[in-house]
């Protein structure tokens, strides 16, 4: 049996508050190969963010285990860099300093000052934010902040990049632009990526596989869809592509026919 | 162009607005507009204040004009306390000093007590904000002690220190510390989960977390506490000095009352007010410089 790069094995997560137990995730198992781009899609409240937090190590699974590159994940670490939904840049640091903080922490022993500076700038260039290196997060747009968040995560050279609805708070045009950028970075660096999203087009456009979650409580993986589209992908050409439309339809059917969002479940 | 600009700006603030606009015609339109805007801004900010001050002084003059009025009118204050107003740096024997020296002595006490309150307050606030256990153990005590009026501590501290000066400093300390503790604790408790997650992903250690996340994230709250603290310190020092004696603006006021020098009291009060205002502004400025950008993410 060949071992997968990242594997989630029988993850259960139960929250307990004031004597009432809520089972959020039930028996979630998933394997991800190196270099794969995986999207996790589901209605809000289905526990997809919880799942990502478990992989990140920010939340502990009640039972089950996450293995990354043969090692058990039990605490957060820079090998699983997270791009948070609301960018989470530190507002008192400049764009450069935000990335540099991560670089200094991760490479304190292995790279000297000059190398760390160059590495910080290289990652800012990768997301085309080098020109705003000395600005504070409050001085740049939402899309730019998210790009810095991505640069910070990439700069840690993570084994797996975790994206928690990274473009959810952005307008459609900025979002499309950032999606293209993420695709390009993925093509260049070959990162392993796990992305949470609730945007069907985004999932189909970016992913190699789409993991569809059933509604909570006790959410599980309902279906995993392969997206056999060749890369590089271009959104305009895909708009009328048969495979693209079929994948899109499959996800839509899953979300809106078989697992419709029930308001009462919230 | 920038050189001309530099030279002209201070002038603009000094001159009446009408003249600045007249000058503007001979200059480039950009500078002209900037100068007239500056003058207009100064005028809109200062004019109402000047009007109210004039009205206030006039009313005061009218009310206290009669020779058997119990309080002196502004004109009499100038007359009677001219020595005091004209020679703030006068040095004499014992407590016979210019107002500057009295204020300086008070400021020294405040500086000592306040510095200690800031250091201990931020430390205790961090502890209470960080640990739910410390919060449960300490917060009720803080909430009770902070309602004790500053002067109520004075007899106790006199008994403990057996000396006026350290007692006054202790009163400043105990007055300023509560808002610093409470605001720091609130600031630490309100550090967004996002920042904590960033710290966890980066695996920042305790010290790095404290210096790089906690202090800057809580800084706006800490400075709110520090600003309230400096205000209370200045309120308390005047009262404390009235009781302990020696050189200091509080004792000066008390001494003036005992000598029936009401005009001197009025001059001293103006000093107290202006110094208090400046202290508040200084802390606010430091706070703004340090926390720039933090307020909005």
């Amino acid at each position: 049996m060949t071992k997968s790069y990242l594997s989630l094995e029988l993850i259960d997560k139960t929250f307990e508050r004031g004597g009432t137990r809520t089972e959020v995730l039930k028996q979630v198992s998933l394997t991800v190969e190196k270099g794969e781009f995986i999207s996790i899609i589901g209605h809000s409240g289905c526990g997809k963010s919880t799942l990502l937090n478990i992989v990140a190590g920010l939340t502990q699974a009640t039972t089950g285990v996450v293995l990354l590159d043969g090692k058990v994940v039990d605490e957060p670490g820079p090998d699983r860099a997270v791009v948070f939904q609301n960018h989470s840049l530190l507002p008192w640091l400049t764009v450069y300093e935000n990335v540099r903080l991560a670089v200094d922490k991760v490479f304190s022993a292995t790279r000297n000052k000059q190398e760390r500076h160059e590495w910080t700038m290289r990652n800012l260039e990768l997301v085309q934010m080098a020109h705003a290196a000395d600005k504070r997060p409050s001085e740049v747009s939402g899309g730019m902040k998210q790009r810095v968040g991505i640069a910070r995560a990439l700069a840690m050279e993570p084994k797996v990049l975790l994206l928690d609805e990274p473009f959810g708070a952005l307008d459609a045009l900025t979002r499309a632009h950032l999606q293209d950028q993420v695709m390009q970075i993925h093509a260049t660096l070959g990162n392993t990526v796990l992305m949470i999203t609730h945007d069907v087009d985004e999932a189909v456009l970016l992913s190699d596989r789409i993991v569809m979650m059933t509604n909570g409580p006790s959410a599980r993986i309902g279906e995993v869809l392969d997206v056999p589209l060749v890369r590089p992908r271009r959104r305009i050409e895909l708009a009328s592509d048969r495979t693209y439309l079929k994948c899109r339809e499959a996800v839509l059917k899953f979300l809106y026919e078989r697992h419709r969002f029930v308001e009462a479940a919230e | 162009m920038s050189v001309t600009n530099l030279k002209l700006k201070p002038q603009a603030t000094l001159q009446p607005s009408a003249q600045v606009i007249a000058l503007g015609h001979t200059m480039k339109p950009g500078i002209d507009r900037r100068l007239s805007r500056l003058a207009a801004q100064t005028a809109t900010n200062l004019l109402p204040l000047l009007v109210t001050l004039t009205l206030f002084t006039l009313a005061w003059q009218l009310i206290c004009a009669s020779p058997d009025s119990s309080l002196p009118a502004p004109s009499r204050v100038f007359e009677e306390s001219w020595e005091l107003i004209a020679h703030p740096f006068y040095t004499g024997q014992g407590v016979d000093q210019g107002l500057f020296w009295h204020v300086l002595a008070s400021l020294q006490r405040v500086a000592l007590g306040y510095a200690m309150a800031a250091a201990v307050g931020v430390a205790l606030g961090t502890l209470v904000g960080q640990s739910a256990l410390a919060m449960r153990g300490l917060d009720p005590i803080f909430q009770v002690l902070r309602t004790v009026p500053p002067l109520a501590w004075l007899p106790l501290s006199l008994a403990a220190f057996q000396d006026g000066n350290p007692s006054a400093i202790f009163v400043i300390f105990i007055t300023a510390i509560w808002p610093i503790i409470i605001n720091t604790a609130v600031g630490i408790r309100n550090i967004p989960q996002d920042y904590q997650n960033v710290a966890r992903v980066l695996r920042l250690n305790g010290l790095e977390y404290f210096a790089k996340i906690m202090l800057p994230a809580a800084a706006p709250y800490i400075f709110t506490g520090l600003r309230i603290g400096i205000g209370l310190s200045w309120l308390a020092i005047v009262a404390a000095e009235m009781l302990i004696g020696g050189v200091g603006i509080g004792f000066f006021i008390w001494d003036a009352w005992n000598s029936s020098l009401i005009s001197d009291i009025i001059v001293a009060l103006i000093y107290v007010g202006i110094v208090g205002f400046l202290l508040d502004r200084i802390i606010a400025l430091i706070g703004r410089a340090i926390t720039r950008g933090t307020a909005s993410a």
Side-chain angles (χ1 to χ4, degrees), chain A residues 76 78 86 88 91 105 136, chain B residues 194-195 201-203 208 212 292:
Chain A
N86 48 357
S88 297
K105 189 62 193 161
R136 278 167 204 285
Chain B
D194 297 333
Y195 300 165
V201 168
L202 288 176
R203 290 202 181 130
E208 287 168 330
K212 295 196 168 139
R292 70 199 185 290

Side-chain angles (χ1 to χ4, degrees), chain A residues 209-229:
Chain A
R209 282 188 293 152
I210 301 172
V211 173
M212 292 176 265
M213 308 268 301
T214 65
N215 284 333
S218 304
R220 41 188 184 75
I221 293 177
E223 213 172 290
V224 179
L225 178 78
D226 272 303
V227 184
L229 291 166

Side-chain angles (χ1 to χ4, degrees), chain A residues 111-127:
Chain A
R111 296 183 191 183
N112 67 34
K113 245 183 168 173
Q114 183 61 29
E115 285 169 330
R116 294 203 297 262
H117 166 75
E118 279 161 16
W119 180 241
T120 305
M121 287 314 289
R122 181 116 62 84
N123 280 281
L124 282 173
E125 279 156 24
L126 200 63
V127 295

Side-chain angles (χ1 to χ4, degrees), chain A residues 4-125:
Chain A
S4 292
Y5 193 55
L6 169 69
S7 62
L8 286 64
E9 288 167 17
L10 295 171
I11 303 281
D12 277 20
K13 178 68 191 175
T14 314
F15 283 113
E16 243 172 291
R17 191 180 289 163
T20 54
R21 289 163 58 91
T22 324
E23 192 172 45
V24 181
L25 295 170
K26 196 177 168 81
Q27 306 229 313
V28 174
S29 293
L30 178 69
T31 58
V32 180
E33 300 308 323
K34 200 168 179 170
E36 254 193 315
F37 198 120
I38 305 283
S39 287
I40 300 172
I41 198 165
H43 292 290
S44 56
C46 76
K48 52 192 195 296
S49 278
T50 308
L51 187 62
L52 190 96
N53 282 341
I54 289 171
V55 178
L58 292 168
T59 308
Q60 293 289 318
T62 310
T63 59
V65 70
V66 176
L67 290 163
L68 174 64
D69 203 8
K71 278 188 220 99
V72 175
V73 165
D74 52 3
E75 59 167 350
D79 57 338
R80 284 153 286 121
V82 187
V83 176
F84 297 96
Q85 184 173 7
N86 48 357
H87 65 78
S88 297
L89 299 179
L90 305 176
W92 53 88
L93 299 180
T94 63
V95 162
Y96 173 85
E97 288 165 340
N98 264 288
V99 179
R100 183 65 188 264
L101 178 69
V103 173
D104 279 348
K105 189 62 193 161
V106 176
F107 301 108
S108 59
T110 52
R111 296 183 191 183
N112 67 34
K113 245 183 168 173
Q114 183 61 29
E115 285 169 330
R116 294 203 297 262
H117 166 75
E118 279 161 16
W119 180 241
T120 305
M121 287 314 289
R122 181 116 62 84
N123 280 281
L124 282 173
E125 279 156 24

